[in-house]
Structure formats: structure tokens, C-alpha cells
Amino acid sequence: MPTLRLLTYNVRSMRDDRDALGRVIRAAEPDVVLVQESPRFLRWRSLCAELARRSNLVVVSGGRPAGSNLILSTLGVDVVSTRDVLFSVDPMMHQRGTALAVLTKEGARFAVAGIHLDLEEAPRLRHVGELDRVIAQSVPAEVPVIVAGDANDGPDSLTWQALAAERQDAVGVARGNGTFTWSGEEPGNLIDGIFVDPRLTVVSAQALGGPDVAIASDHRPVLAELELQPIGSAT
């Protein structure tokens, strides 16, 4: 079966050590990266392109039109379709959204959706519902979907439970108890997750650490290795 290395990473708008950020992503050797807090203001397109270059990847979709969710990939991943969506917004809150892409790798088709949810529970839960509707509208039923990003809430929360209601919590499946992503220097909370269609197999999932991780962002990235289903195989 083909495998997918998927990384989710809140890069804090590249405000920290950009060289270290590039090294962290390259060292993980991901096929696909779902980025949160990609640059959203002045020169955001060129800065997203810079992040891709530093990572030895290419931009698939996202950025400001997706609420600063960005999808990067290697050239070994083919793009079938993309969609950038903005969620409903509450007064005095940041604009949230999702970057969604249907992709293929080595004969296996799958979809990814990047998220960065709100700081308050009510809009977080509402946006999970909006995300599920966007996926249902945009992704054929036979294509497995991986949702990943910064949930701004932990595994015991209603938000995390909603994301994992019909998906596998990759860190939980991989028995990654004690895996923390916030904050980058002294992590004590898990708020970044990867939620995987049950038709796919979670091989491993873990938060990454090391000296570069501590200075590249205020979050630690999460890397999962997933076993994909070739097109036409039984599920």
C-alpha cells in the first residue's frame, strides 16, 4: 500500500526563525503539509511561496482566501481539485476557514482539509459543522478525507470530540499519550491534531521536537504516516 507522510504545523505567520522553520519541515520529509497561520497580510502570496521554497515544496492551495490555512506538497503528489472556503465570522474574532484539496499519490486518491479553529468554544463547534458540510459538498464519498490543524482545544474537549466523531484521532490511535504541541519551547498541551478517515490506516503520529522546533514557531508540528488505499481497492 502507498503511504503518506502528512505534517500539520502552525507557523505563526513566519515571525520566528525562518531558516529553522524550513529545516524542520525538510527534516520531516512530508508529502503534504497543512499550514496554519500562513502569512495573511502584506505580500502574503510571496511569503507563502517563500515558505514553500524553504521547505522544498510547492503551494497547492490556500493562504488568505482560506483563513490563512495553506497546503504544500511535494511534486510526487498530484492535484485533482482545490477549494478555499471562509467560515462564518463572529464580531471581534479572526476570520477562519479551510483549505481543501483532493490529491493523488502512487495511485491512491485522498483529500486533505486544513483548519485553525477559534479561541472560543461556540464558534469552534459551529465551524466544525461548516467544515463537514464543505467536505460533503466538495469531496466524492469514495475519497477518504484527512482533517488536520490547530484546534485551539485539547483531546477532552467537545471540539476535539466533534473532529474525531467520524474520524480517527491519529495521535490517540498511535498511543501518543504525552504528545504536546503548545507552546513550542515548553509544550504542556496538545491542541494540534490529525483526524483520519477510518478507511485509512494510521501507522504512526507524533509531535516533533528539537532545537530548530523550539525557535521556528510557538507550536510543535505533528507528523503522521498513513497507509492509503489505491484507487479501486476494497474499503
Side-chain angles (χ1 to χ4, degrees), residues 34 60-67 69-71 79-87 97-103 111-115 130-140:
L34 300 183
V60 173
S61 185
R64 185 169 181 172
N69 291 283
L70 179 69
I71 303 174
V79 179
V80 177
S81 64
T82 65
R83 186 178 178 190
D84 298 333
V85 176
L86 296 176
F87 296 149
T98 184
L100 177 69
V102 178
L103 308 167
V112 297
I115 55 167
E130 294 177 21
L131 169 71
D132 288 339
R133 288 191 289 274
V134 168
I135 290 172
Q137 295 165 0
S138 306
V139 181

Side-chain angles (χ1 to χ4, degrees), residues 109-142:
R109 183 167 294 191
F110 60 97
V112 297
I115 55 167
H116 184 190
L117 299 180
D118 235 316
L119 295 173
E120 295 184 1
E121 183 177 77
R124 280 198 297 268
L125 291 171
R126 188 177 74 246
H127 292 159
V128 172
E130 294 177 21
L131 169 71
D132 288 339
R133 288 191 289 274
V134 168
I135 290 172
Q137 295 165 0
S138 306
V139 181
E142 68 273 14

